[in-house]
Amino acid sequence: MPKLPAPPLPAPLKTPPPRPGRGNGKTGPLEEAQQAGITVVDWVDERTSLSGAARWMMFRKVPKGTNWFYTLGSATMFAFLSQAVTGVFLAMYYRPDPAGGAYESIRYVTNEVFLGQFVRGMHKWGSSVMVVLVFLHMGRTFFFGAYKYPRELNWVIGVVLLILTMAMSFTGYLLPFDQRAYWASSVGVNINGTGPLLGPYLSDFLYGGAEFNATTLSRFYAIHMLLLPGLIAALIGAHLYLVAKLGTTAPPWQKAGRPRELRETEV
Ligand code: HEM
């Protein structure tokens, strides 16, 4: 069968002609390295058309008056990413074993592992940073009226993200399995148990039984490092999709300008 000619590339995907290197008409190693990067991106894009989605997500008009308070959502997202990365390294050493293994593995990370104390510190302090940021971000969206039509669904997704973030802090607190972790978590789960209707079921679910037992720690660990991060990542995706689709809200003090068409007819 005769081979069909390849369809022509759209202009932005065409590899630009090589730029001459220092005066001798040849390309230098730097240009070649740059070209290699462009060629790989082109190759992937030609097969996936992902650049369209990236452009849709990244190149957006933002309302006049956008200010530093609008960075709080992204700051929360980066706090989450930092927790995810440091958490992966901690998981390489952590053992959810209530008979001394959990405490010992945390002691080992802190005192023996190269940069272990630093990574653990980042994860521990990062959790507080994320909680503070998520509240500040919620405050920003509330005071700027960003919860109103058409962004109610994004507010609801945000509320779920807030609850999941608090649940991350709660489940993470037990993992060092020292006296403070044990008693604080017991108090927390018992408080949950006093909730109306669902309370007792929730506490049974968290304990993995009627009271603290051998499976409680591994249950908290699975919820902390698999279930909640997965849910948070998926919901952040939905949250950002809606932000990109609906755009961000202008600050409440920003007055609406006259549309361009009307301004152009003015004398
Ligand atoms: C893990 C937690 C969260 C992350 C990573 C996150 C991320 C973001 C980002 C990046 C934006 C766009 C930029 C900005 O306006 O700051 C945004 C917008 C928004 N977020 Fe969140 N968010 C989170 C939690 C929340 C919470 C708890 C609420 C409220 C209950 C919320 C409600 C909103 C709303 C309504 C918008 C639209 C803002 C506008 O139209 O101006 N988000 N979020």
Side-chain angles (χ1 to χ4, degrees):
M1 207 166 137
K3 206 170 166 233
L4 290 173
L9 272 179
L13 287 184
K14 280 194 185 129
T15 314
R19 282 197 290 136
R22 301 189 178 84
N24 58 5
K26 291 184 186 152
T27 51
L30 184 65
E31 280 82 3
E32 272 171 23
Q34 283 170 345
Q35 283 299 319
I38 294 171
T39 315
V40 171
V41 172
D42 284 350
W43 190 92
V44 175
D45 192 42
E46 206 183 326
R47 282 149 185 88
T48 59
S49 304
L50 274 177
S51 66
R55 227 175 293 135
W56 178 80
M57 193 76 191
M58 314 285 277
F59 295 91
R60 284 178 291 123
K61 290 195 171 130
V62 293
K64 257 191 186 160
T66 297
N67 56 39
W68 281 97
F69 291 113
Y70 286 72
T71 58
L72 287 166
S74 315
T76 316
M77 190 173 68
F78 280 102
F80 172 68
L81 290 179
S82 162
Q83 290 302 93
V85 171
T86 50
V88 167
F89 285 107
L90 291 176
M92 289 177 187
Y93 295 94
Y94 184 70
R95 272 178 290 138
D97 163 25
Y103 182 80
E104 172 52 28
S105 65
I106 294 275
R107 196 204 57 76
Y108 181 74
V109 168
T110 314
N111 298 332
E112 318 283 340
V113 176
F114 175 64
L115 290 181
Q117 193 173 18
F118 175 67
V119 173
R120 187 181 165 208
M122 274 187 76
H123 198 74
K124 187 178 178 236
W125 288 100
S127 69
S128 303
V129 169
M130 187 175 167
V131 170
V132 171
L133 284 172
V134 80
F135 273 104
L136 290 176
H137 170 60
M138 184 172 71
R140 197 291 282 173
T141 52
F142 178 76
F143 286 114
F144 282 42
Y147 55 86
K148 294 180 196 169
Y149 175 84
R151 298 184 181 81
E152 305 95 322
L153 181 60
N154 222 13
W155 174 266
V156 172
I157 294 177
V159 171
V160 180
L161 278 170
L162 179 77
I163 295 168
L164 294 178
T165 306
M166 304 307 285
M168 277 299 267
S169 297
F170 180 63
T171 48
Y173 205 80
L174 177 66
L175 303 185
F177 217 57
D178 50 15
Q179 288 289 329
R180 186 171 51 176
Y182 177 85
W183 290 109
S185 303
S186 303
V187 170
V189 178
N190 288 342
I191 292 175
N192 275 308
T194 61
L197 300 177
L198 292 181
Y201 296 103
L202 186 59
S203 86
D204 277 8
F205 169 70
L206 287 170
Y207 275 150
E211 55 191 27
F212 210 109
N213 64 69
T215 56
T216 311
L217 181 61
S218 45
R219 183 163 288 220
F220 267 60
Y221 184 45
I223 295 174
H224 182 77
M225 58 99 73
L226 293 170
L227 182 66
L228 294 177
L231 285 175
I232 292 181
L235 285 178
I236 289 181
H239 201 63
L240 292 187
Y241 167 76
L242 286 180
V243 169
K245 184 156 177 55
L246 303 171
T248 46
T249 316
W253 56 83
Q254 194 71 44
K255 296 221 165 56
R258 284 167 70 70
R260 184 189 297 265
E261 312 82 73
L262 293 181
R263 268 184 279 145
E264 274 163 8
T265 56
E266 282 169 7
V267 271

